[in-house]
Amino acid sequence: MKQNKYDDPDFFDKYSQMARSIGGLDAAGEWHVLRTMLPSLKDKNVLDLGCGYGWHCRYAREQGARSVLGIDISEKMITRAKSFNEDAAITYREAAIEDIAFEPEQFDVAISSLALHYVEDFEGACRKIYDSLTPGGSLLLSMEHPVFTAIAAQDWHYSPDGERLHWPVDNYQDEGSRVARFLDADVVKYHRTVATIMNALIHAGFRITEVAEPGPSQEALAQYPEMKDENRRPIFLLLAAIK
């Protein structure tokens, strides 16, 4: 199932008001760790799957990437990304991750930020990414953590007076679709165990080199003290791998 909520005007408007949409990478809760996991991008041909506003595409060029291709299913996302700059070395293409088809060994680095938990055939996507990379090429992806996706509600368990008691985890081994509420809309996400995610990369041929489950940075906690509860359970799973 290919899902494109972002071309719904109301959904896109609400997404545009999120902190990461306004503040870019520095406002993304996982960026302080994700950027340390990136390989050198200088003179590299970079693929960004689920590029959204194109933040990672522009960062890659700032780091000296030779060329960048950003892929997103949403026409509105691609239009917004193009509006930010006219760098001839960045190309944006409207397409679903499920439909990608590239020449073998076309890219040196592939990045996917918070997009692959929307893709039903994760193993198939891993194989396509692997084939598109040069030998020794790098993949860096971030996903919603399986502890976060296990229950569709994606919310705390509260006391009668509204205190956050704990983050419930149930049906963890029951992999498959979850209909979650995000920005006041029903959104289909795919829950997989950590083992399934890592094994899909391994079976595709990747060698996993680093795993991270970042909480908020100290700077973020100082600016937003209410984020302290984000250290009580992981939201993000980050994986770096090499072909």
Side-chain angles (χ1 to χ4, degrees), residues 117-182:
H117 51 259
Y118 295 117
V119 173
E120 183 175 11
D121 185 8
F122 178 67
E123 287 192 2
C126 289
R127 290 192 297 270
K128 288 183 177 182
I129 296 168
Y130 182 89
D131 290 342
S132 74
L133 288 172
T134 56
S138 299
L139 167 64
L140 179 58
L141 64 87
S142 66
M143 305 173 69
E144 288 189 355
H145 198 287
V147 164
F148 195 73
T149 60
I151 294 179
Q154 296 190 320
D155 199 3
W156 298 90
H157 182 72
Y158 297 90
S159 71
D161 62 359
E163 178 187 2
R164 290 174 172 176
L165 297 178
H166 62 266
W167 184 268
V169 177
D170 199 3
N171 298 317
Y172 182 82
Q173 301 292 350
D174 180 18
E175 298 183 312
S177 62
R178 303 286 194 271
V179 180
R181 291 295 291 178
F182 178 48

